[in-house]
Amino acid sequence: MLDWEENLFIGLKSLHRRFFIRPKEQQRAAVRSTLKEHRGALLYLGRMIRGGELLLFETDDLTLCANERIFLPTEMTRGATVEINRALYELRTIVAALAIRHKWTNGQSDLPTLLSTCTEDLPGLPEKIDFLKHALGSDEEFWNCLGRLPDLSDIAGKPE
């Protein structure tokens, strides 16, 4: 008697997966950009922006960085295309490297204000930020996926 119940459950589970779960997985896979694919380029970009050595640390923590480590998620799927998600990786790396270089901390000032002070060094930064804000649809969504500055206790030394 348990055989037919088990088979019915397996069949219903298969139908649920086919019609509800698999399309979402396929949609995410179509726009996914992974850290594994871009790790080397992002590491060099971060080192160039920072002006020295640093490491990439794979984590889903929303903090941008701590000490000499940039925190990046395993994958980006927030954007509608692979290119947007790759650009999010690049921008998050740039912002984290700037935060390390200038020793920015949470509570010092808001991230948009701090980034506006870097437009002389990085003239294309405002355009990249505007493009990604528009691609994600809202300011709040954009700043949330970009990450947050580290707390003072997360960094070595004192802020400049």
Side-chain angles (χ1 to χ4, degrees), residues 41-51 54-56 62-73 76 86-106 108-119 121-122 124-130 132-133 142-150 155:
L42 293 172
L43 183 61
Y44 288 126
L45 176 64
R47 286 177 178 169
M48 181 183 68
I49 298 294
R50 190 215 180 247
L54 55 77
L55 300 169
L56 293 183
L62 289 178
T63 305
L64 283 168
C65 58
N67 296 330
E68 304 298 315
R69 288 174 281 158
I70 293 177
F71 299 155
L72 294 173
M76 287 274 191
R86 184 175 12 149
L88 278 170
Y89 263 131
E90 290 170 1
L91 184 60
R92 186 166 170 157
T93 301
I94 291 167
V95 172
L98 287 169
I100 291 170
R101 182 169 95 186
H102 297 293
K103 296 189 181 192
W104 292 340
T105 59
N106 197 11
Q108 194 175 15
S109 186
D110 62 337
L111 196 53
T113 304
L114 292 170
L115 287 174
S116 68
T117 64
C118 298
T119 56
D121 292 340
L122 301 167
L125 188 61
E127 289 81 14
K128 191 171 194 85
I129 289 171
D130 289 341
L132 288 171
K133 272 188 201 177
F142 170 73
W143 294 111
N144 284 339
C145 80
L146 194 57
R148 64 177 176 80
L149 291 170
I155 62 170

